[in-house]
Amino acid sequence: MLGSWRRLGRRRRRLYLTLLILLVVGLGGATVILLLARREPAPYRPGEELPEVTRRLERGIPEEAPSPRLVEVAAEAGLGGFRAFRGERTSQLPEDMGGGAAWGDFDNDGDDDLFLVSAGGPLTASPQDRASSLLYENLGDGTFREYPGFPELRIVGMGAAWGDYNGDGRLDLAVSGYNTLRLYRNEGDRFVREERFPEPKGFWAGVSWGDFDNDLDLDLYVCGYVRYREETGSTRVSQQYGTAVPFTLNPASYPPERNLLFRNEGKGVFQEVAEALGVHNPEGRSLEALWYDFDDDGWLDLYVANDISDNAFYRNRGDGSFEDLSHPAWVADYRGAMGLAAGDWDRDGDDDLFISHWVAQENALYNSLLVEGRTRGEPGIRFMDMASAVGLGQIALQRVGWGASFVDLDSDGWLDLVVANGSTFETKEPPKRLVPQPSFLFWNERGRFFHDLAPLNEQLAEPHVSRGLAVSDYDDDGDVDLLFVDLDGGVRLFRNEMPQGNWVKVRLRSRLAPSGEPIGWGDGAKLIARVGRGDAPPSRFERLLSLSGQPDDPLWARRCWRDRNA
């Protein structure tokens, strides 16, 4: 063969050698392309299983984890008649965002009553054809009845919040929705709309009461979502994570709505001061806001959850004015923020912040560094996202999170976490419905890790298009129960039947009437209880009850009990 090669002419040898080199290079390149193609991940589809992401971080549930013994009792409790939505969707954004729920003892009989906000129905429907928002009176025996003294309310609703704005000792109610913002005054035997309260047009979402200026009356913060333009029969589409969705269902299709802050001037008069105080958040598509004293200085700060825009953190300077610490505090999060919850999940002495998010964005657990910073002599307040490290991040990639709440479900002294989930994506088959998803029930493993126990409870694991979440010990048995508002149905009320220990109930009042009778509510109060040895200081039982304000002000109660023999 070597002789045959030598007998070929020089030009032919060069030609064959060139062809051989090209063949080798071509085969090598094809091999590389095939290998790269195998390694290239497929495009992500919302709701799709990603075992290489989610299951890699799975941890077995510890043996000491409690059984999630929660029983769904909405029908037998008398709540089966509520409906969150009536009619067929028309693929418009306001139809898919509500409703909500708010617990509050409006009749002062010692148990929590319930207001349920309906999402109403399609925007094309008349008010008479929408599902009604309803107030239910707690009868004290584990059941409810519809309260006849509340006006008929058929709105495309979003949220509600109880607060005694006029200081008469009776809880009043603020309600929000699409082109709806109302305040109802509790007259004792009925509710009357406060006509002096303004109702500007807008897409109003979360409402939150708080005494930000410490003048002993409640102010109201209102979240504005987007400046929505009604549009039926549209064929325009937009892209969300590679999925085509109607243009009218994408919040990015619309400019953000401003937020409102109504300062209580007394006698039923409110002044809107959000822009003047720099908390109108004009670039944020806000869904929920939380008044909370994150820096523990006795003045309420404000955190605002924004959808597809930076979240906002406004620190109260201590004089009723605010400074924007969104970026300096490391919480200016640009994701699809939906729900908020605050609590000291790791029991280190400062309060942390949980935020539920849209699909493929993980949830966030902002751990407060306040105590650590003070220990090192560092001024200011900062947070660090710990969600992935403690099991709250990647597990949520396939879910759309809404209402959230920290709550100690098993009374072990560690705050657990509940999150209501429900997709915003439509089914492919008509009529176009929203895709249901299971919600989360995270058990807190002593500040080390959160484990989702919802799959262990058949009723909790059932997928729904959930939106609202509210917690209360509605049956007054010492444990906290859960209520979900489902856009694809009504409500689910889960009665907590997990084993509990001893318990104490505290009702806070802000001041005394001339007769000596306690009136008003302890809004803005903080109650800290450490019981037994455990992780609390040894041989010490301490409860601290304090209301923000000056300790020497006779209108404020400030007491501290200590029993060193506990």
Side-chain angles (χ1 to χ4, degrees):
M1 182 172 293
L2 181 60
S4 300
W5 174 257
R6 287 177 176 175
R7 284 195 295 270
L8 292 173
R10 180 178 295 178
R11 293 184 62 183
R12 285 193 174 186
R13 289 202 301 269
R14 288 180 178 176
L15 177 62
Y16 289 148
L17 186 59
T18 300
L19 291 174
L20 180 62
I21 293 172
L22 291 175
L23 179 62
V24 171
V25 171
L27 288 173
T31 302
V32 171
I33 291 173
L34 287 174
L35 290 174
L36 289 175
R38 288 182 179 180
R39 295 177 59 186
E40 184 71 22
Y44 173 73
R45 296 183 180 88
E48 181 183 13
E49 284 279 347
L50 292 178
E52 67 275 14
V53 175
T54 56
R55 291 179 181 167
R56 187 179 302 171
L57 298 174
E58 282 183 353
R59 291 168 53 145
I61 297 176
E63 292 184 2
E64 65 269 24
S67 174
R69 292 168 53 184
L70 296 111
V71 181
E72 207 286 300
V73 296
E76 65 185 75
L79 302 176
F82 174 78
R83 287 293 173 266
F85 192 91
R86 179 184 294 171
E88 297 294 339
R89 300 171 55 257
T90 61
S91 297
Q92 297 196 75
L93 188 60
E95 300 171 350
D96 294 350
M97 302 299 291
W103 293 100
D105 183 10
F106 77 84
D107 51 5
N108 286 335
D109 64 352
D111 49 36
D112 280 345
D113 310 296
L114 177 64
F115 186 78
L116 294 175
V117 184
S118 172
L123 296 187
T124 54
S126 64
Q128 293 76 16
D129 293 328
R130 296 172 183 161
S132 181
S133 298
L134 298 173
L135 175 58
Y136 286 92
E137 179 186 1
N138 191 333
L139 300 181
D141 59 359
T143 65
F144 299 81
R145 73 176 179 95
E146 187 178 334
Y147 183 65
F150 194 86
E152 183 178 68
L153 183 61
R154 298 180 182 273
I155 59 174
V156 179
M158 287 288 290
W162 293 101
D164 180 12
Y165 76 90
N166 54 6
D168 64 355
R170 296 188 293 261
L171 286 177
D172 311 296
L173 184 68
V175 183
S176 67
Y178 178 61
N179 286 332
T180 300
L181 184 60
R182 297 184 185 176
L183 177 59
Y184 291 95
R185 185 176 66 253
N186 187 345
E187 295 284 336
D189 58 349
R190 60 180 180 140
F191 282 81
V192 177
R193 183 175 174 184
E194 177 59 80
E195 297 294 343
R196 291 169 294 183
F197 189 79
E199 187 180 14
K201 294 293 184 181
F203 193 167
W204 309 118
V207 285
S208 182
W209 292 102
D211 182 12
F212 78 90
D213 49 5
N214 276 358
D215 64 350
L216 307 184
D217 53 29
L218 287 177
D219 313 292
L220 183 67
Y221 192 79
V222 181
C223 291
Y225 190 38
V226 298
R227 298 179 186 176
Y228 187 75
R229 296 186 301 275
E230 296 184 24
E231 185 176 350
T232 58
S234 173
T235 58
R236 293 186 295 168
V237 298
S238 60
Q239 294 292 319
Q240 291 182 328
Y241 285 97
T243 300
V245 299
F247 180 88
T248 52
L249 288 180
N250 189 347
S253 302
Y254 307 97
E257 181 61 88
R258 85 282 192 193
N259 295 351
L260 308 173
L261 174 56
F262 291 99
R263 185 172 61 202
N264 193 338
E265 305 290 352
K267 299 182 179 181
V269 176
F270 290 84
Q271 182 180 0
E272 206 287 295
V273 295
E275 185 172 2
L277 295 180
V279 295
H280 58 311
N281 193 213
E283 303 301 323
R285 298 171 177 86
S286 304
L287 282 173
E288 188 169 352
L290 180 68
W291 290 108
Y292 211 89
D293 183 9
F294 283 105
D295 56 358
D296 202 26
D297 65 351
W299 293 80
L300 290 177
D301 309 305
L302 179 65
Y303 191 86
V304 183
N306 291 322
D307 192 7
I308 54 172
S309 39
D310 281 350
N311 291 347
F313 176 46
Y314 301 107
R315 178 186 172 273
N316 196 324
R317 291 190 177 98
D319 57 3
S321 66
F322 297 89
E323 59 177 327
D324 188 345
L325 291 185
S326 308
H327 289 279
W330 304 339
V331 289
D333 198 345
Y334 189 99
R335 280 185 272 187
M338 306 289 195
L340 294 175
D344 186 8
W345 71 275
D346 54 357
R347 291 172 52 169
D348 65 349
D350 48 33
D351 290 324
D352 314 297
L353 182 66
F354 175 83
I355 307 173
S356 61
H357 285 129
W358 197 60
V359 69
Q361 296 180 349
E362 302 186 6
N363 291 331
L365 177 62
Y366 282 111
N367 200 51
S368 174
L369 305 179
L370 182 66
V371 169
E372 293 92 327
R374 287 178 175 174
T375 302
R376 295 191 294 264
E378 299 173 357
I381 180 171
R382 293 183 177 86
F383 296 83
M384 181 173 293
D385 190 358
M386 296 280 293
S388 293
V390 296
L392 298 176
Q394 288 86 355
I395 192 173
L397 283 171
Q398 302 165 31
R399 311 284 173 87
V400 178
W402 295 84
S405 182
F406 281 112
V407 54
D408 185 3
L409 289 170
D410 56 348
S411 296
D412 65 350
W414 295 88
L415 289 176
D416 310 304
L417 178 65
V418 185
V419 184
N421 295 321
S423 182
T424 58
F425 289 100
E426 297 178 315
T427 57
K428 295 181 180 179
E429 303 79 15
K432 296 295 185 68
R433 306 185 187 279
L434 297 178
V435 178
Q437 295 178 333
S439 292
F440 289 129
L441 192 157
F442 292 109
W443 175 68
N444 185 345
E445 186 191 358
R446 302 181 66 82
R448 294 188 291 267
F449 203 82
F450 284 90
H451 301 270
D452 182 22
L453 304 186
L456 305 182
N457 184 304
E458 184 177 351
Q459 293 176 310
L460 269 173
E462 184 177 312
H464 283 275
V465 186
S466 298
R467 291 293 185 262
L469 172 71
V471 302
S472 166
D473 181 12
Y474 80 94
D475 51 1
D476 208 26
D477 63 352
D479 53 33
V480 182
D481 313 293
L482 311 177
L483 182 130
F484 294 86
V485 180
D486 300 325
L487 193 56
D488 57 345
V491 297
R492 287 175 295 148
L493 175 63
F494 286 91
R495 185 179 63 221
N496 190 345
E497 296 186 353
M498 301 170 72
Q500 308 289 329
N502 297 324
W503 58 282
V504 61
K505 182 175 182 177
V506 179
R507 287 177 68 89
L508 305 179
R509 295 294 190 180
S510 59
R511 58 190 183 274
L512 299 178
S515 63
E517 179 185 0
I519 62 174
W521 293 80
D523 299 289
K526 178 181 288 187
L527 174 66
I528 301 174
R530 298 187 180 93
V531 183
R533 298 178 182 273
D535 292 338
S539 302
R540 183 178 182 184
F541 172 84
E542 179 182 277
R543 291 183 188 143
L544 174 63
L545 172 61
S546 63
L547 294 175
S548 56
Q550 297 301 320
D552 57 350
D553 189 331
L555 293 178
W556 291 98
R558 183 177 181 89
R559 299 191 62 186
C560 179
W561 296 271
R562 286 188 174 89
D563 181 358
R564 299 187 181 277
N565 296 320

